[in-house]
Amino acid sequence: MPRDKNNNNQDLIAELTAARERIAELEAREAAHQLAEQKLRAREAWGNTILDSLHAGVLLVDPETHRIVDSNAYATKMIGRPKEDLIGHICHTYVCPADKVSCPVTDRGQQLETCEDVLVRSDGETIPIHKTVTTVIHNGKKLLLE
């Protein structure tokens, strides 16, 4: 066999070996990525399970817009509306309606507020509540946990 053909074959074998190693590396990265996603989904599901198991209403509110971005099952039960109906509404629609002009937490710069307040159910009934509001970071965004 001529020397050039030998070199050509060796070069092809080296390229094939390098390509196989790169494919194995990419497959390993993909498997690690999928595992990380599964763990993240499991952690998120666990957090939702805990929140939905609480016998206390929990709302996540955007402090800039005062709009509800999430709620737990007990909050939806207390208000009498499904989660999908709550999300996007201004929190004053349901919580502390007397303060519709201003927010005690965002407008006064408080980090934590604990007070007696009222919750307005979807049927118009008001329920006295003990409310605690604190600032949390969720997905890199500052939110109010009520």
Side-chain angles (χ1 to χ4, degrees):
M1 201 188 285
R3 183 146 169 83
D4 287 339
K5 193 171 185 179
N6 248 355
N7 284 341
N8 240 359
N9 285 344
Q10 288 176 349
D11 290 344
L12 288 174
I13 290 170
E15 286 179 32
L16 182 59
T17 301
R20 285 182 178 156
E21 288 172 358
R22 181 68 176 140
I23 289 170
E25 179 186 319
L26 291 172
E27 287 173 341
R29 279 188 187 181
E30 177 63 22
H33 179 73
Q34 287 178 0
L35 181 61
E37 279 186 7
Q38 287 173 351
K39 286 181 179 181
L40 184 61
R41 281 192 298 273
R43 185 176 178 151
E44 186 175 312
W46 176 241
N48 287 336
T49 297
I50 290 170
L51 279 176
D52 284 339
S53 297
L54 294 175
H55 289 278
V58 178
L59 297 175
L60 276 176
V61 176
D62 183 325
E64 293 174 12
T65 64
H66 298 199
R67 295 194 181 276
I68 298 169
V69 296
D70 203 356
S71 69
N72 73 341
Y74 203 80
T76 63
K77 180 180 175 184
M78 289 174 66
I79 294 170
R81 308 274 313 225
K83 179 189 276 197
E84 297 77 28
D85 287 356
L86 297 180
I87 293 174
H89 280 88
I90 293 176
C91 58
H92 295 307
T93 306
Y94 305 106
V95 183
C96 53
D99 291 325
K100 284 186 178 186
V101 177
S102 67
C103 176
V105 176
T106 59
D107 298 341
R108 295 184 199 140
Q110 295 175 318
Q111 291 298 309
L112 175 67
E113 179 197 50
T114 301
C115 65
E116 300 295 322
D117 215 324
V118 295
L119 178 120
V120 181
R121 291 185 38 83
S122 62
D123 61 9
E125 178 186 355
T126 59
I127 302 170
I129 59 170
H130 182 80
K131 179 179 84 170
T132 299
V133 180
T134 190
T135 303
V136 297
I137 304 296
H138 180 65
N139 292 333
K141 182 164 176 53
K142 181 178 172 181
L143 297 171
L144 300 177
L145 181 70
E146 298 186 10

